[in-house]
Amino acid sequence: MEQSAEELNKIEKKDLFTSGHRACGGCGQALAARLVADASGENTIACVATGCLEVFSSPYPDPSWRIPFLHSLFENAAAVASGVEAAYKALNKGPVNIIAQGGDGSTADIGFQCISGMFERGHNVLYVCYDNEAYMNTGVQRSSFTPLGARTSTTPMGNKTRKKNMPLLAADHGIPYVATATVDDFRDLQRKVKTALSIEGPKYIHILAPCPLGWGHHGELSVQICRLAKDTGIFPIYEIIHGKVSNVRKIPVKVPVEEYLKLQGRFKHLFKKGQPTPEVAEIQEIANQNIERFNL
Amino acid sequence: MGKILMKGNEAIGEAAIRAGCLNYFAYPITPQSEVAEYLSRRMPEVGGVFLQGESEVAVGYMLFGAAGCGARVLTTSSSPGISLMSEAISYISSAELPVVFVNIVRGGPGLGGILPSQADYFQATKGGGHGDYRLLVLAPSGVQEAVDMVMMAFPLAEKYRNPVMILGDGLIGQMMEPVEFSDHLKSEPSNKDDWATNGMDTRNRKERNLVKSLFLDAELLEEHNLVLKAKYDRMKQEEVRYEPYNLETDYRALVVSYGTMSRVCKTAIDNMKAEGIEVAMIRPQTLFPFPIDPIRAAAAKDGCQAAISIELSMGQMVEDVERSVQGKCPVHWHGKAGGEIPTPEEVVDVIKSLIK
């Protein structure tokens, strides 16, 4: 459905994902889930993978969801959503927004196969990834989204590998819409959800969702950390519409990655007596590559 | 080294290193993630490998690959994770590779909960994956026994070239108890030439080792299954382990219980003894092979009015108790599956309601 620029840019507050859930203070994922639900509207079915979101928002008697909600397991939110979409087609019902949602593992690790299948078969489903860069629900173990250098409970010496680039992997399936977003810019995030839902076919939105517990920062810094992730070039903001990179967010004033890393306990070991270790230069290099690649 | 106080999951990790296992593959799942966290620290210290897979499916085949080249390998998981590994368990069993699995069981079905459970009894003892295979299943009732069983599991897996599963539960994984570790085992299986792939090295042997499970020819598959069956029959002869409790008395009922639940039953039995009521227990330490003959003999004793399977499930082991007792006395079941553990008082009331 075509929407006017005014409609797309309006911030939606419908309370379809209510307060009173059990997320930690400053949880990026809780904020993102609310923005996504409110942008999608009442005519939406949420298929949610196991993870923090499901655990803190679904327990009886105080679930937060005021839209239909299906929960399965880590690996299969995309498959469940494929089934929902196929059933709606077979029953000749709809139109309805079908949104599959998951975290790191559900998206990039155990769930990757089901997502790839959903993209390739061309289901009319929006997949939203809440990226908090580790398995937070089970106690902060590394995922393939864990960035270089970050300490987790299974990488006690710091992670040795680079983060998997899921938005580009999604785009390479040839799906019509891919976007990245962060939780500090409500208008941008909701505009992307609404844009995605107006397009027929598989869509993918990748949202950086800071986790105060796992990242080791104060809850009130979650929004600031998102801004720094963007302004350092660590997390580029863009859309890929029918294969073409568009609407890239330009960095107003470039910030060195140290400003981003220093706010977070998981990178503390990268600074010895205030001096950065060689890994910091490597992380700066990753940010520089992003800046060059997307012309940030 | 004397006794130290350790959490069950961490003690299992340490025991694996003492058992000479330097290859650990896993994926996090509550309530056993501490094993992975502990070994992510410890394995590099001893020159070992910890690989976190992208899923339990991947982990299952990392085990297949590593065991297939002769390494001593371990994974730990919890119920839903073991379900995902079940395909690999079937393939590993058919390829006759020694692998040790630890299942710190949580409540099910589905995602269930994260509290202790024994609801994976069927999955562990009767399959879970497809085909005619059996796991040798060890059931510890505390942290020390979990450590001892890890030490025991590797030589058993290698003796039979068969996967061994240690079936714990969330309580054993999460609680702390004093433990003592025995000496290190050697870090390489002595008989690995029997199964490890060695390419074209035919100088020292007549046949090459192929790690595989495909037998399209009916006769060959039949033959393969008979080889496996002979192993399982030998386990039934040689590996049955159980602990008798209060069996020397003139008991009026026989309890069959294992793992965490058996500890509560012991207290219940002690409390009833103080009241002048004798009740005996057989605690299976191997769930496959199951202690069929000892249970039958105990149930057949004069004065035994009932056999009661007490388990943290909706009645799984009771089927094996029934086929063991073979009608010598009535068989009953009592259990819970939500994650709560029956209290000694509850167990006493159940037993009293079944005897005169």
Side-chain angles (χ1 to χ4, degrees), chain B residues 31-58:
Chain B
Q32 68 75 48
S33 296
E34 293 87 354
V35 189
E37 289 167 12
Y38 182 81
L39 286 178
S40 73
R41 243 182 6 254
R42 275 289 275 143
M43 276 300 184
E45 288 174 9
V46 295
V49 173
F50 160 55
L51 263 188
Q52 185 183 308
E54 71 275 24
S55 72
E56 286 89 347
V57 178

Side-chain angles (χ1 to χ4, degrees), chain B residues 173-238:
Chain B
Q174 293 295 323
M175 73 177 167
M176 292 181 92
E177 281 192 316
V179 282
E180 213 166 351
F181 292 96
S182 47
D183 290 339
H184 282 65
L185 299 181
K186 282 192 185 131
S187 66
E188 279 211 346
S190 55
N191 53 338
K192 70 171 185 176
D193 284 350
D194 292 351
W195 67 83
T197 49
N198 67 341
M200 292 296 285
D201 175 18
T202 51
R203 275 169 297 179
N204 302 317
R205 68 169 94 208
K206 291 188 179 108
E207 284 181 34
R208 279 179 289 153
N209 282 342
L210 297 178
V211 175
K212 64 164 195 167
S213 67
L214 179 68
F215 299 89
L216 285 174
D217 185 286
E219 270 179 40
L220 289 178
L221 181 58
E222 181 72 19
E223 199 183 302
H224 178 57
N225 271 289
L226 286 169
V227 168
L228 296 180
K229 183 177 185 300
K231 287 199 309 195
Y232 308 141
D233 289 344
R234 188 176 157 210
M235 288 178 198
K236 290 178 191 170
Q237 293 299 318
E238 296 179 18

Side-chain angles (χ1 to χ4, degrees), chain B residues 256-279:
Chain B
V256 183
S257 189
Y258 69 99
T260 290
M261 191 60 234
S262 67
R263 297 169 70 136
V264 180
C265 292
K266 275 188 186 172
T267 307
I269 289 168
D270 292 348
N271 292 350
M272 291 180 83
K273 196 184 195 68
E275 288 182 50
I277 305 169
E278 297 292 356
V279 173

Side-chain angles (χ1 to χ4, degrees), chain A residues 50 54 71-75 105 109-110 135 137-139 141-143 153-156, chain B residues 27-30 33-34 36-38 40-41 50 52-57 80 84 111:
Chain A
T50 301
E54 167 261 332
H71 160 242
S72 51
L73 192 52
F74 289 106
E75 71 271 31
D109 297 333
I110 191 169
Y135 302 146
N137 183 44
T138 47
Q141 294 89 9
R142 90 170 276 275
S143 75
S153 61
T154 54
T155 53
Chain B
Y27 187 79
I29 182 169
T30 313
S33 296
E34 293 87 354
E37 289 167 12
Y38 182 81
S40 73
R41 243 182 6 254
F50 160 55
Q52 185 183 308
E54 71 275 24
S55 72
E56 286 89 347
V57 178
L84 281 166
L111 209 52

Side-chain angles (χ1 to χ4, degrees), chain A residues 173-214:
Chain A
H173 283 77
I175 63 175
Y177 186 79
V178 172
T180 63
T182 54
V183 292
D184 65 301
D185 191 340
F186 293 9
R187 196 180 306 280
D188 180 65
L189 192 155
Q190 290 201 324
R191 182 183 65 76
K192 285 170 174 165
V193 172
K194 286 186 270 186
T195 306
L197 291 173
S198 71
I199 296 170
E200 181 76 18
K203 285 84 60 172
Y204 178 78
I205 300 181
H206 189 107
I207 303 174
L208 186 69
C211 169
L213 192 72

Side-chain angles (χ1 to χ4, degrees), chain A residues 230-276:
Chain A
K230 296 193 289 191
D231 288 346
T232 50
I234 279 179
F235 192 83
I237 298 293
Y238 56 87
E239 289 170 279
I240 303 178
I241 304 170
H242 294 292
K244 200 166 181 294
V245 178
S246 345
N247 300 326
V248 176
R249 174 190 176 271
K250 296 281 179 190
I251 300 175
V253 182
K254 289 191 180 53
V255 177
V257 293
E258 282 176 52
E259 304 295 312
Y260 172 75
L261 303 175
K262 274 183 171 168
L263 291 181
Q264 303 173 48
R266 61 178 175 155
F267 296 117
K268 202 172 160 192
H269 60 288
L270 299 183
F271 298 92
K272 299 262 153 65
K273 292 177 186 156
Q275 289 306 306

